[in-house]
Amino acid sequence: MCVKFLCYVLRANWCKGTEKERAEENGQYKTKGRGKKIHSLLADSLESEMEGLYTEGPNIHELNTEIGDLLLQIHKMTTGLGLRIKQKVVRTASILCMLQLLILLAIFLYVSFYYSFMPSAIFVTPVHFHYRTLSDSVCSFPVANFSLLTNWQKQVMTPGQPYQITLDLEMPESPTNMELGMFLVKMSCYSHEGQTVHASMQTTMLHYRSYLLQTLETLMLLPLMLMGVIEQKQHVPVELYSSYVDSSYKPTVGAIIEIHSQQVQIYKAQLYIYAHFRGIRYVLYHFPFTSAVVGVVSNFMFLSGIILIGCVQDSSSWPHLHFGKLNNPRETREDILEDIYQGERNKRSEENCTGTKTRLLDPSEIRSSDIMDSGSDKREETFFDTEVKEMVKTNYLEDLHD
């Protein structure tokens, strides 16, 4: 606006100079009264131009305010969008971490339940026989005493769980064992106090094979026998218990096996304990993958239900912690800052509008200081608007950060 005003002043001076030059060249220099008339015409034209400029001033200010409002709205929208995106990312990350924690906890619970509920399916221990001397020339039957505890002093057999106990005897096909016939095997289980809890006796013998069958087998397997790959022996299984159930009051910690024959010949003996699972243990042992999936999913749903119930109860007991405390103060501060900015903007617009109603000066009375004052006022107005916007922006970002 100041530039336009300077252009009009220069134009008026230039027009006045040209008129004087033309008058001097043509010898028709106009009188002093006519010069005053031209001066009044120029003043009227400048006054009309100045009125146009002052009427355009409020329009330009309104345009600046509209642009400022638009930029402020765009800033609020972008800031709010960034805040919502940040909240979504944080919420998604927290949900993923919670799901991962719940899955790991569900797996841990299932594994803990499996190893605490499922006993050992098979237990194998060697049986070493020895003789006790009854007199100078008489020995007792072969006897073996062994423990039914693990290395961590834990019971092998779980109370209430049925077990099958089998003794495997590795015996040579010697004439003595063939002539021995049937012999008796006795097993006695005892507790911590040394009391006999249960006893079982079973008879057994070598499998019969005729002389011709033994001869043909020896001829067929002679090379392997000469190399020591196979031997002439038999594995004789003796089922001592078909369904042994241990007692929780007097748990079994060891057993004694005695063979009632002094002429029996044995290479090696091993005791096998097989667990016969029933019900849930049968499903867990024979269908491990399916039971693992069902167990983990069940634990996950159970933990998720507990967390959801806790969250619902928390939100119903303390509603102001989730709604009133976080949302209302922030909206109130934003409204206060918006009202302050709107009031300052209206005040500046009123001052600009009152400035248009002042008396228009004569072009001859306008000085350069007045032009500089008007320019400085516009710069101060622009600087003030900039400061107000920066203040509003800073306070808004601080509120978002809080």
Side-chain angles (χ1 to χ4, degrees):
M1 186 173 67
C2 296
V3 175
K4 290 184 179 182
F5 177 73
L6 291 174
C7 291
Y8 284 124
V9 173
L10 294 174
R11 181 180 177 184
N13 293 330
W14 179 77
C15 291
K16 186 176 180 180
T18 51
E19 289 292 332
K20 288 181 181 180
E21 290 178 358
R22 288 178 183 176
E24 289 175 357
E25 290 177 357
N26 297 329
Q28 297 177 356
Y29 185 78
K30 296 182 180 181
T31 60
K32 184 178 181 180
R34 190 173 181 180
K36 290 182 180 180
K37 185 178 180 180
I38 293 172
H39 186 271
S40 63
L41 291 173
L42 290 174
D44 293 336
S45 63
L46 286 174
E47 185 177 357
S48 62
E49 292 294 338
M50 291 296 293
E51 289 179 356
L53 289 175
Y54 282 116
T55 54
E56 290 179 359
N59 295 329
I60 295 173
H61 182 70
E62 291 177 359
L63 181 60
N64 290 332
T65 55
E66 291 178 358
I67 293 173
D69 294 338
L70 180 61
L71 293 176
L72 185 60
Q73 292 178 1
I74 292 173
H75 178 265
K76 288 183 179 180
M77 291 175 61
T78 53
T79 307
L81 181 62
L83 181 61
R84 287 194 294 271
I85 292 173
K86 183 179 178 180
Q87 291 177 351
K88 292 289 185 181
V89 171
V90 173
R91 187 177 301 173
T92 304
S94 61
I95 291 173
L96 291 177
C97 292
M98 183 63 68
L99 290 177
Q100 185 178 4
L101 181 62
L102 289 177
I103 291 172
L104 293 177
L105 185 59
I107 294 173
F108 174 75
L109 291 177
Y110 175 77
V111 172
S112 301
F113 166 76
Y114 184 86
Y115 280 100
S116 62
F117 183 73
M118 288 294 294
S120 299
I122 300 175
F123 178 76
V124 181
T125 182
V127 179
H128 303 286
F129 290 97
H130 62 277
Y131 291 92
R132 289 178 294 184
T133 304
L134 298 178
S135 62
D136 295 337
S137 60
V138 179
C139 294
S140 66
F141 297 134
V143 178
N145 189 354
F146 55 91
S147 175
L148 293 178
L149 299 176
T150 60
N151 296 330
W152 300 278
Q153 299 299 318
K154 184 180 179 181
Q155 298 179 11
V156 174
M157 293 182 291
T158 303
Q161 171 66 39
Y163 291 91
Q164 178 186 357
I165 302 175
T166 303
L167 178 65
D168 183 44
L169 298 174
E170 185 178 337
M171 303 174 63
E173 294 180 346
S174 61
T176 303
N177 286 336
M178 296 299 294
E179 294 175 358
L180 182 63
M182 294 183 66
F183 56 91
L184 183 66
V185 178
K186 180 182 179 181
M187 179 177 178
S188 301
C189 301
Y190 58 88
S191 62
H192 285 284
E193 292 79 10
Q195 298 178 358
T196 302
V197 178
H198 200 278
S200 174
M201 291 182 290
Q202 296 291 337
T203 58
T204 186
M205 63 176 295
L206 289 177
H207 294 281
Y208 173 76
R209 288 190 298 178
S210 63
Y211 179 76
L212 178 60
L213 183 58
Q214 291 180 0
T215 303
L216 292 176
E217 184 181 4
T218 303
L219 293 176
M220 291 292 295
L221 302 176
L222 182 61
L224 297 178
M225 289 181 181
L226 292 176
M227 290 185 294
V229 177
I230 60 175
E231 297 177 359
Q232 289 182 330
K233 61 182 180 180
Q234 291 185 17
H235 286 273
V236 182
V238 182
E239 184 178 348
L240 298 172
Y241 291 96
S242 61
S243 181
Y244 179 80
V245 179
D246 196 9
S247 175
S248 58
Y249 298 100
K250 292 183 178 181
T252 302
V253 297
I256 298 174
I257 295 179
E258 184 179 5
I259 299 177
H260 290 198
S261 176
Q262 294 179 351
Q263 289 80 23
V264 66
Q265 298 175 352
I266 300 172
Y267 281 152
K268 184 173 62 175
Q270 284 186 337
L271 185 71
Y272 293 88
I273 300 177
Y274 301 97
H276 288 176
F277 297 123
R278 298 174 184 176
I280 298 177
R281 288 175 177 172
Y282 180 85
V283 176
L284 293 176
Y285 181 75
H286 293 280
F287 304 97
F289 181 75
T290 304
S291 60
V293 172
V294 173
V296 171
V297 172
S298 301
N299 292 333
F300 178 78
M301 294 178 65
F302 178 72
L303 295 174
S304 301
I306 292 175
I307 292 175
L308 290 176
I309 292 172
C311 292
V312 170
Q313 290 181 352
D314 188 18
S315 60
S316 62
S317 301
W318 307 96
H320 62 280
L321 294 178
H322 301 276
F323 301 99
K325 186 176 180 180
L326 297 178
N327 297 328
N328 293 334
R330 182 172 295 174
E331 293 177 357
T332 304
R333 289 195 293 269
E334 292 177 359
D335 295 337
I336 292 172
L337 292 175
E338 183 66 24
D339 294 338
I340 292 173
Y341 178 71
Q342 187 69 26
E344 295 293 338
R345 188 175 56 195
N346 294 334
K347 182 178 179 181
R348 299 300 298 180
S349 62
E350 290 176 0
E351 291 178 356
N352 292 330
C353 292
T354 54
T356 57
K357 297 178 182 180
T358 56
R359 183 180 56 85
L360 295 177
L361 298 176
D362 191 83
S364 61
E365 298 177 357
I366 295 174
R367 295 174 297 178
S368 61
S369 62
D370 297 331
I371 298 172
M372 294 300 292
D373 292 336
S374 62
S376 63
D377 293 335
K378 293 297 180 181
R379 286 195 298 271
E380 288 178 359
E381 178 183 355
T382 306
F383 181 74
F384 178 79
D385 292 338
T386 305
E387 286 183 347
V388 172
K389 291 179 180 179
E390 290 294 328
M391 181 183 67
V392 172
K393 180 179 178 181
T394 304
N395 293 331
Y396 183 74
L397 293 177
E398 289 178 356
D399 295 336
L400 292 179
H401 182 69
D402 294 336

